[in-house]
Amino acid sequence: MNHFQTILPRVRMLLAGHLPSQARALLDSMLERELLSREYHCALLREPDGEALARKISLTLLEKGDPGLALLRWAWGTWQAPLAERDPDDEDRARSGQCATMELGPLEGGYLELLNSSADPLQLYHLYDQMDPAREEMELCSEPDMDTINCEQFSRLLCDMEGDEETREAYANIAELDQYVFQDSQLEGLSKGFFIEHIGLEEMIGESVETLEEKKSQKRCEVPQASQELPSSSPAIHSLPKSPERPGSTSPFAPSAADLPGMPEPALTSRADVTEEQMSPTRSPAAHEVSSQLPKWSERVEKFCSALRDMYQAEPAGPEGILVEVELVRARLERSSSKSQERELATLDWAERQPARGGLAEVLLAGGDRRRPRETQVIAVLGKAGQGKSRWAREASRAWARGQLPQYDFVFYLPCHCLDRGGDTYRLQDLLFSLGPRPLPVDDEVFSYVWRRPDRVLLILDASEGLEGQDGLLHSACGPVCTEPHSVRGLLAGLFQRKLLRGCTLLLTARPRGRLAQSLSKADALFEVAGFSAEQAKTYLTRYLERAGATERRERALELVQGQPFLLSHCHSPTLCRAVGQLSEALLELGGETELPSTLTGLYVGLLGPAARDSPPGALAGLARLAWELGRRRQGTLLESQFPSAEARAWAVAKGLVQPAPGAAAVGLAFSSFLLQCFLGAVWLALSSDIKDKELPQYLALTPRKKRPYDNWLEGVPRFLAGLVFQPHADCLGALAGPAAATLKDRKQKVLTRYLKRLQPGTLRAGQLLELLHCTRETLDAGLWQHVVQGLPARLSFVGTRLTPPHTYVLGSALEAAGRDFSLDLCSTGIDPPGLGSLVGLSCVTHFRAALSDMVGLWESLQQRGEAKLLRAVEEKFTIEPFKAKSVKDVEDLGNLVQIQRTRSSSEDTAGELPAVRDLKKLEFALGPVSGPQAFPKLVRILEAFSSLQHLDLDSLSENKIGDEGVEQLSATFPRLKALETLNLSQNNITDVGACKLAEALPSLAASLLRLSVYNNCICDMGAESLAHVLPDMGSLRVLDVQYNKFTAAGAQQLAASLRKCPHVETLAMWTPTIPFGVHEHLQQLDSRISLK
């Protein structure tokens, strides 16, 4: 019997045609019986759709274990008819239902005695059956089932037992053990369905819940037939009904969700992507009054939670209040090289990216599949500095404050600069309440609730890379119960190691490089901040100018940005996008004809120049020194006492160079952005006489060294340093520090010029080469730029190196300036479609490789936009030679490419083969034993399209194991592979059957095949004989490798005899352990072409 299909029509009938006040009375009754949480009760009161309300009430009754419909009978009787007006047939059915109940005497003593007694539980259920069966439609079993029980009887027994004060302590003691013994794993799916529905993915719950209920209803709660008799002994109960108010447990004595920590509530309150105001623009005052009648928490907890929400809900002022949501994509960490243990973000092709389109809700759900019960869930959001991680983290706390994360009762947002503290010791409650940006009073009652319900706590650690300076951060001495005070380092380590506050959700934001990021490979979910797209950057600039009151100058400002494509490409970073908007606004206020600078150095000089002119003596140099020294310690916050003077501090705060850092250990300040700290650090390197000339080049970190290069935490310093030293003094460094620094600047310029001219771009790794191009462009030195671009090799590979929009622009400028032809390998670079189109459309790029999936997307985009000229150029330049399939997706992408060619060939507008397909000469297939047999038939179906294929390598270190079936499929394509010269079938689990099929088809390749290898297979004497028989017919064959098979001396002699008839064969590799060494030596003496190596 499908309980959901039974409950839903009744709820529909109950709600149809009745006043809203009566529906509210039903919901109030459900709240009083604790079938609903307070928040969900309020949400249902605001539900405008009657059908949706009926479904949600039905699902709640189903989840809360009320299939007996006692509540619905109560409501129907209250609304429709008095209890006295009953159908006589109903009384008959009631009497017949009671016939099967065994007579038990009145219970004496407390329910604790009843719990310890040996009474039959099924008899107790029927004893407490006081329900009215006249209002219930029940399906009877066709056969007696001793373990079916009445859920209403069970519920009433449970309520009476819970009302007994004497038993509560006993229930608390056995609750944990009982939960473990009776937990039904099938209930987890339904709870997850509720979770998904109420955070905004309710389309997934529709039919899946009903299907799940059908599976769960094999052992149903039914009224026994009148003829059914209960046995005197207790039967073996295979299935128990779900206990009301105890999600996920079938035991009547399991604790409720409010009693134990770590048990999620199944009913949540609102959609994750809709605010409370959007859901109900005209919220009823009565609904608010009803919702406040039964507070979920104590008054102190409620007050604390309200204060926390008010703190997070405050709108940030200034540019911080401009919100353009950045996109998050799923990420993973991988080793940077086979010899290195360091991990870095894997670079995915553009088509492989998996955006978190569900927003914050999807991010918080991402690790649910891997999360074990009562286990801390660790989610990391990674991204470079300035990509918007902190802004996103603050929005997460604001989303909770607006009611969009109902699965959490508390959210604690902790910027990690607040946690950079010395040797003082703290408790966990101090970390949560007192060390944040706005300290809150420590309340033991609130902390007690947090400690008991860690699964309802979201802890956000923003900018976690700021903790890397604390040694031993990832090694914790804290246990699950941490009563003694610890250092902040110890508390954080306990959280990272999932020992402290176990069961909470820990959300980290950090940069992808550093010691902390290396430890995140075991996180439940990893995401990367993708930055702004071109449209998002334009939207941000528009909103920035509108907020700044420059609406009338908005179009002119956008024209200024469009006039500098280099700066426009850097608007991929939200921090730089805001800097561009600030300078555009400042330039337009000055009036007259103006334009934005063409370099990042010029951008920050333009922003800091006016502030530097009004600075106290030595203030800028002192602040620059602080920026550099803090950066070397991986810090971004500073104390008031560290400023050279009070005037310098006041100036820096007034000009917005530093801003208060609330929550820091002392009265602290932080640089307004990480890139500003990088720029100031570069200013110190350019002005300081303490930096020796021979030490200056190391800060560019471009020299390929055997030793580890200089680890520059301030990663923006190299470009700013090159710009400050090389750009004209009056317009750059002189505008900041005056003319006195000109002599020092000239000397450093000569040092860096010698260093850059000694570099050989062809010897640099791809990442260093891109950094060299950026540094050289910042110099605005035409001679140095030409020197670098002329040294670029003709073949440039960027495989595994992330190509961001700024990288794409600089690389394209360098290729054009070189005046030569280039071949590019852009596979695994994550380049976006606009960047890919701009690079491959250059006339100097003659050939390029890119991910097949990205190319298919580019072709479709160009066709839709009607760019026929660029489409033809892309088709002619694109190559996949050589191609190595390492996944099923690679084979599928190759099939899509062949399909494009077939579609293209059938079109009247275009003719001929795609050069990428026509010119492919080497194809490798290395998918391994699991995916290999699955994907190989797909490869065989498209092989005939590669008319120039010369080398087909089916060997893999992990063995593809295509087997005899795969060989048979491959052999059928031989007549169409006219150019095939090398066929490698090594390590594919080929037996005599496959060898015979291969031998039958080999004459089709007699004119072209030069090398054939069946190394390390399972070929015995019959297969060896088949190959020996066909060997004389292979007129072009030069090398045959049959080593490490299973044929004996008889098969070896057959091959040796056939070899004497083949003067064209140069080598026969035949050593195998199944042949005695003496036989090998004898055969080699007869024919020296037999190799035993």
Side-chain angles (χ1 to χ4, degrees), residues 97-119:
Q98 294 173 354
C99 292
T101 306
M102 298 187 65
E103 294 292 329
L104 290 176
L107 293 173
E108 298 181 358
Y111 285 102
L112 184 59
E113 297 180 7
L114 178 61
L115 176 65
N116 296 324
S117 71
S118 58

Side-chain angles (χ1 to χ4, degrees), residues 689-971:
S689 58
D690 298 337
I691 305 296
K692 298 180 180 179
D693 293 344
K694 64 179 181 180
E695 296 177 355
L696 193 63
Q698 73 172 339
Y699 300 119
L700 296 183
L702 297 175
T703 306
R705 298 170 176 234
K706 293 182 180 179
K707 297 182 179 180
R708 185 183 182 90
Y710 178 76
D711 185 13
N712 195 351
W713 188 72
L714 297 174
E715 54 190 25
V717 163
R719 303 180 196 182
F720 287 132
L721 177 60
L724 290 169
V725 170
F726 280 91
Q727 288 188 23
H729 183 75
D731 300 331
C732 189
L733 195 58
L736 300 175
T743 305
L744 187 61
K745 169 186 172 294
D746 292 340
R747 190 175 75 244
K748 293 186 177 183
Q749 180 177 338
K750 293 178 181 179
V751 173
L752 290 183
T753 300
R754 290 196 302 267
Y755 169 74
L756 292 173
K757 288 189 174 181
R758 286 200 307 266
L759 289 177
Q760 299 178 5
T763 63
L764 300 178
R765 297 191 301 270
Q768 288 181 322
L769 177 61
L770 291 171
E771 190 64 28
L772 173 63
L773 293 177
H774 277 286
C775 290
T776 308
R777 193 188 185 284
E778 288 291 325
T779 65
L780 294 181
D781 188 319
L784 192 58
W785 175 253
Q786 280 297 321
H787 173 79
V788 171
V789 299
Q790 291 301 327
L792 294 175
R795 294 179 178 272
L796 291 171
S797 174
F798 297 94
V799 176
T801 301
R802 185 72 54 90
L803 287 182
T804 61
H807 289 336
T808 302
Y809 178 84
V810 171
L811 179 60
S813 300
L815 297 179
E816 284 186 307
R820 298 183 287 113
D821 291 342
F822 292 93
S823 175
L824 303 180
D825 191 343
L826 304 176
C827 294
S828 300
T829 58
I831 186 172
D832 59 355
L836 179 61
S838 65
L839 280 182
V840 303
L842 297 176
S843 58
C844 58
V845 176
T846 57
H847 296 88
F848 73 94
R849 289 170 54 87
L852 284 176
S853 52
D854 290 352
M855 286 307 305
V856 171
L858 179 61
W859 274 323
E860 293 175 351
S861 175
L862 294 177
Q863 286 176 343
Q864 293 175 358
R865 298 201 303 264
E867 300 185 32
K869 183 178 180 181
L870 181 57
L871 177 60
R872 287 193 298 269
V874 169
E875 290 177 349
E876 292 297 325
K877 297 176 183 180
F878 178 57
T879 179
I880 58 175
E881 169 64 23
F883 184 81
K884 184 174 184 178
K886 295 183 288 187
S887 66
V888 176
K889 180 181 180 300
D890 292 339
V891 178
E892 294 174 348
D893 290 342
L894 194 62
N896 292 336
L897 182 64
V898 172
Q899 183 60 35
I900 289 177
Q901 173 179 278
R902 291 170 179 170
T903 305
R904 183 176 182 270
S905 300
S906 61
S907 175
E908 297 180 358
D909 299 333
T910 58
E913 297 178 309
L914 282 175
V917 177
R918 179 193 62 206
D919 299 335
L920 179 63
K921 294 179 173 59
K922 183 176 181 179
L923 175 59
E924 297 181 57
F925 183 83
L927 270 70
V930 177
S931 301
Q934 172 189 352
F936 188 69
K938 301 178 182 179
L939 179 67
V940 170
R941 287 195 290 268
I942 61 175
L943 272 180
E944 61 184 35
F946 304 105
S947 56
S948 301
L949 187 63
Q950 297 177 357
H951 189 142
L952 180 59
D953 190 350
L954 304 180
D955 184 14
S956 172
L957 293 177
S958 57
E959 302 185 13
N960 291 310
K961 292 189 176 181
I962 65 172
D964 297 332
E965 184 179 355
V967 171
E968 183 177 2
Q969 295 170 352
L970 177 64
S971 300

